[in-house]
Amino acid sequence: MRYAIFSDVHSNLEALEAVMDSYKKEGIDKYLCIGDLIGYGANPRECIEKVRSIASVVCAGNHDWAAVRLFSLEYFNSDARSAILWTRHLLSQGHQGFLESLKLTFKNEDLILVHGTLNNPHEFNYLSDAYIAEETFRLMDRNVCFVGHTHQPQIFSKDQNERIYAHKEAAVTLSNANKYIVNVGSVGQPRDGDPHASYCIYDSKEREIQIKRVKYNAEAARKKIIEKGLPKFLGDRLIAGR
Ligand code: ZN
């Protein structure tokens, strides 16, 4: 099975379309989304509809749940909060019902998905280093778990001696002896200093995972954010990738 796994679209339609175009060349069997379809960007409805039409599984992100009042706005900074409030007014009952239906985790024979961490997934903690990864590794009953939320692509592995590595490379071939956590990065608001949209491919037969980047029209996405009256910083950071 060749899986397309992506996260943190954040209402950025330009980035989502560029990622979907890239996936077309990859012979994908199944699309999986790890949450945060909305928030920050200018096209929440279009992004929900597109992801919904493509992905067989969509997990909940903190912005998705906050938009439908399942997660408190007090956990967000003021720019994020204004974007969520702006987004709420645009959502139809259908969009709201869809966001409300999203589950925190997903598991099949090949993988686990969660937006933040497997321990207390409803708290949406950031899996940002090897130390925090430990608890999620401990709870894994599959070889590999895919996460998002930090907007920083990263592969972690844990070997038989319980040592955890933060890999520098963006691709790995899985060894049965190890466990892996893969942060797939963000489609719509990368924060690792590279403004290109981030997306992941997992080939469960070949045992290969790759995190890829694609250029998209970030200036158009930035312009729309400013035109809609959303905080200017949310547009500017797309150009910087931070
Ligand atoms: Zn996010």
Side-chain angles (χ1 to χ4, degrees), residues 8 10 36 40 62-63 115 149 151 191:
D8 295 274
H10 285 298
D36 275 0
Y40 299 132
N62 48 324
H63 291 251
H115 189 66
H149 196 34
H151 299 203
R191 291 181 194 158

Side-chain angles (χ1 to χ4, degrees), residues 41-86:
N43 291 102
R45 289 184 298 218
E46 295 80 355
C47 289
I48 291 175
E49 282 155 26
K50 200 166 184 73
V51 170
R52 205 176 168 179
S53 71
I54 292 165
S56 54
V57 173
V58 183
C59 284
N62 48 324
H63 291 251
D64 306 318
W65 268 21
V68 290
R69 298 176 172 80
L70 291 172
F71 188 64
S72 172
L73 282 178
E74 71 180 272
Y75 297 109
F76 295 84
N77 65 39
S78 70
D79 285 345
R81 207 179 304 139
S82 347
I84 290 167
L85 291 172
W86 177 84

Side-chain angles (χ1 to χ4, degrees), residues 145-190:
C145 176
F146 294 87
V147 303
H149 196 34
T150 68
H151 299 203
Q152 304 201 346
Q154 172 80 64
I155 300 174
F156 296 99
S157 65
K158 184 180 183 181
D159 69 14
Q160 286 161 308
N161 300 315
E162 310 273 301
R163 276 184 305 223
I164 297 176
Y165 297 91
H167 291 253
K168 285 201 173 65
E169 60 277 24
V172 290
T173 302
L174 302 185
S175 145
N176 276 334
N178 298 346
K179 280 182 177 175
Y180 299 85
I181 297 173
V182 180
N183 191 317
V184 301
S186 170
V187 170
Q189 196 197 78

Side-chain angles (χ1 to χ4, degrees), residues 86-118:
W86 177 84
T87 299
R88 268 184 192 166
H89 293 290
L90 293 174
L91 301 179
S92 68
Q93 276 189 354
H95 297 132
Q96 289 170 27
F98 173 69
L99 296 179
E100 280 162 8
S101 75
L102 302 181
K103 300 281 180 290
L104 287 166
T105 59
F106 170 80
K107 185 158 68 177
N108 69 11
E109 64 280 12
D110 293 322
L111 56 87
I112 305 172
L113 307 176
V114 64
H115 189 66
T117 56
L118 281 181

Side-chain angles (χ1 to χ4, degrees), residues 185-226:
S186 170
V187 170
Q189 196 197 78
R191 291 181 194 158
D192 60 336
D194 177 353
H196 294 90
S198 181
Y199 64 103
C200 178
I201 297 164
Y202 170 33
D203 190 316
S204 61
K205 191 159 158 256
E206 301 297 328
R207 313 283 290 149
E208 280 171 2
I209 290 174
Q210 296 168 271
I211 297 170
K212 296 191 160 200
R213 306 301 285 261
V214 63
K215 195 172 187 305
Y216 76 97
N217 193 343
E219 187 49 47
R222 172 183 173 271
K223 245 176 121 178
K224 278 202 247 169
I225 285 173
I226 294 166

